[in-house]
Amino acid sequence: CQARYPLAGQHACYECFGPLEVDYDLAALATVTREQIEAGPRNIWRYAALLPAGQDPATRVTLDPGFTPLVAAGNLAAELGITAPLWIKDDSANPTHSFKDRVVSVALTAARSLGYTRFACASTGNLANSVAAHAARAGAPSVVFIPSDLEPGKVVTTAVYGGELVAIDGSYDDVNRLCGELVETDEFEDTAFVNVNVRPYYAEGSKTLGYEVAEQLGWRIPAQVVIPMASGELLTKVDKAFTELVEIGLVEAPAGGWKVFGAQSAGCNPIATALHADTDTITPVKPTGIAKSLNIGDPAAGLYALEAVRRTGGWMEYVDDDEIRAGIQLLARTTGVFAETAGGVTVAVLRKLVESGRLDPAAETVVFNTGEGLKTIDAVAGQVGPTHRIKPSLRAAREAGLLG
């Protein structure tokens, strides 16, 4: 609706109730140079001049995430029949082992400048880890809300930081709904919910993934990207990052532009289902399946993800639990990267996109792994294990065929 508001702790438009976006002065952004960025710290704050908060290092609430590896995936490419360069952007290397450290650093830096003194979130796991860790580093109280059936690894890696951890008997959408109600109470007026009242700043943190990929490729945008979708926000912000880099002259768009592909699990695929039905109506679902970090049944940025995929000529696919487990193992076996279930979704969708002809195997492609496999180890624990079990003797090793 084009309504405008000053920077504040506000996430929805009072006119149309749509989500607010941070707007920038493109002329000011255009003064940023590659040299300025390359001289910055090896974390997300090298892009501070392109972000809505954190220009002064003293104001940052951060674990200094970012500048994670861009892994050449030649073995994976060969197995899938991809002839162009294939890369894995491995964000499991962040401090709490997921891309959420990026969004939380930006959101909480903005939150502190807006006067908030307590940090909170609704989470499917990775965001909970990151908010609790950031609060601990900043010496601030935190209260994190999660579904009670979350993977044990993600519960432990949130609780260990010592903040309040509230498990709710319901889905993520139930948790998020409650947080939306809490943020309106007097008791929570001093609390920044990173994905509610300071969500516009939180979302901007995802852009750093797009910036980094372009910089790590030698200031070049790849022809194709494959990105996991929960709310759809990550996909839209990577696309926004590429668009900004072109608009301010830091990179040139590839010939024919870039294509954005989205990946969901079959247990929670409302955005992909809408695309396949050629509609803008995203029907909420009750999530199921092992990819719990993607289990948002009512995705806030779903419409924007649809727009980005359609505009760029990409596509969306979804895969079932068995395909997800196979994707985790395929990525690990070919690249040495152990991804959580969301990464298994993305790799399995990559395979599906190649087999269907939707993704061009002759075009450079970047696949995003957003989290660490140790957080969702139960997903493959029953499928992998020792290949041999022997007694501690040379004879036993020979009998097992280990000596050829």
Side-chain angles (χ1 to χ4, degrees):
C1 72
Q2 302 301 311
R4 290 180 175 269
Y5 301 89
L7 294 176
Q10 179 184 344
H11 67 290
C13 175
Y14 298 144
E15 300 296 327
C16 71
F17 305 109
L20 291 179
E21 288 283 324
V22 175
D23 195 22
Y24 297 91
D25 180 345
L26 284 179
L29 295 188
T31 65
V32 179
T33 66
R34 294 181 183 179
E35 292 73 21
Q36 177 184 341
I37 291 170
E38 291 167 351
R42 291 179 65 84
N43 56 55
I44 65 168
W45 300 112
R46 67 199 286 112
Y47 309 110
L50 305 176
L51 295 171
Q55 285 73 38
D56 178 356
T59 67
R60 296 170 188 163
V61 178
T62 187
L63 302 179
D64 291 331
F67 225 74
T68 53
L70 186 66
V71 179
N75 294 337
L76 177 59
E79 187 145 337
L80 297 182
I82 295 173
T83 57
L86 176 66
W87 307 87
I88 306 297
K89 180 57 173 169
D90 184 18
D91 245 28
S92 67
N94 276 315
T96 71
H97 309 292
S98 88
F99 87 100
K100 292 296 186 181
D101 288 333
R102 299 172 181 273
V103 295
V104 171
S105 284
V106 175
L108 294 186
T109 296
R112 177 160 281 181
S113 71
L114 293 169
Y116 292 103
T117 57
R118 181 170 63 166
F119 305 145
C121 70
S123 177
T124 57
N126 286 326
L127 185 59
N129 296 171
S130 188
V131 168
H134 275 79
R137 176 74 61 87
S142 66
V143 53
V144 170
F145 298 83
I146 59 172
S148 59
D149 66 347
L150 209 56
E151 298 99 334
K154 290 182 178 177
V155 175
V156 170
T157 51
T158 298
V160 71
Y161 296 110
E164 291 187 78
L165 178 60
V166 183
I168 294 172
D169 294 329
S171 69
Y172 169 80
D173 297 291
D174 296 322
V175 176
N176 193 47
R177 190 177 306 111
L178 174 61
C179 289
E181 294 170 355
L182 289 172
V183 79
E184 300 296 334
T185 66
D186 292 342
E187 291 83 357
F188 279 82
E189 66 179 358
D190 66 341
T191 304
F193 283 80
V194 296
N195 51 348
V196 184
N197 53 349
V198 291
R199 184 179 180 88
Y201 311 96
Y202 159 93
E204 291 295 286
S206 293
K207 294 192 307 182
T208 60
L209 262 168
Y211 297 152
E212 276 181 25
V213 164
E215 183 181 354
Q216 288 172 316
L217 288 176
W219 296 106
R220 187 178 74 253
I221 294 174
Q224 302 173 136
V225 291
V226 186
I227 303 172
M229 296 188 302
S231 70
E233 196 77 80
L234 175 60
L235 182 149
T236 67
K237 295 309 180 197
V238 170
D239 176 64
K240 182 178 182 181
F242 291 164
T243 300
E244 286 180 349
L245 290 176
V246 171
E247 286 179 338
I248 64 179
L250 287 179
V251 301
E252 291 185 3
W258 60 87
K259 292 184 178 181
V260 179
F261 295 87
Q264 292 201 289
S265 81
C268 187
N269 58 354
I271 313 175
T273 297
L275 181 71
H276 289 195
D278 194 24
T279 179
D280 287 337
T281 301
I282 297 175
T283 303
V285 300
K286 184 175 182 179
T288 61
I290 62 173
K292 294 183 179 180
S293 62
L294 301 182
N295 278 358
I296 297 180
D298 189 7
L303 282 174
Y304 303 97
L306 287 172
E307 186 278 330
V309 166
R310 287 169 174 155
R311 172 173 42 79
T312 63
W315 190 246
M316 299 177 185
E317 274 297 349
Y318 52 87
V319 288
D320 63 27
D321 285 357
D322 287 341
E323 291 172 302
I324 294 167
R325 293 186 182 97
I328 293 171
Q329 294 177 71
L330 174 61
L331 180 64
R333 176 169 55 79
T334 58
T335 68
V337 173
F338 182 22
E340 68 166 14
T341 49
V345 168
T346 311
V347 172
V349 163
L350 171 68
R351 179 195 285 275
K352 205 166 187 177
L353 291 167
V354 173
E355 291 174 347
S356 67
R358 293 278 185 180
L359 184 138
D360 183 357
E364 184 174 44
T365 302
V366 175
V367 176
F368 289 77
N369 174 46
T370 52
E372 166 64 57
L374 292 174
K375 294 186 177 190
T376 59
I377 200 166
D378 288 352
V380 292
Q383 297 190 319
V384 297
T387 56
H388 299 81
R389 185 168 183 170
I390 66 172
K391 295 185 181 300
S393 71
L394 189 61
R395 179 180 178 180
R398 180 175 287 110
E399 290 176 346
L402 297 179
L403 299 181

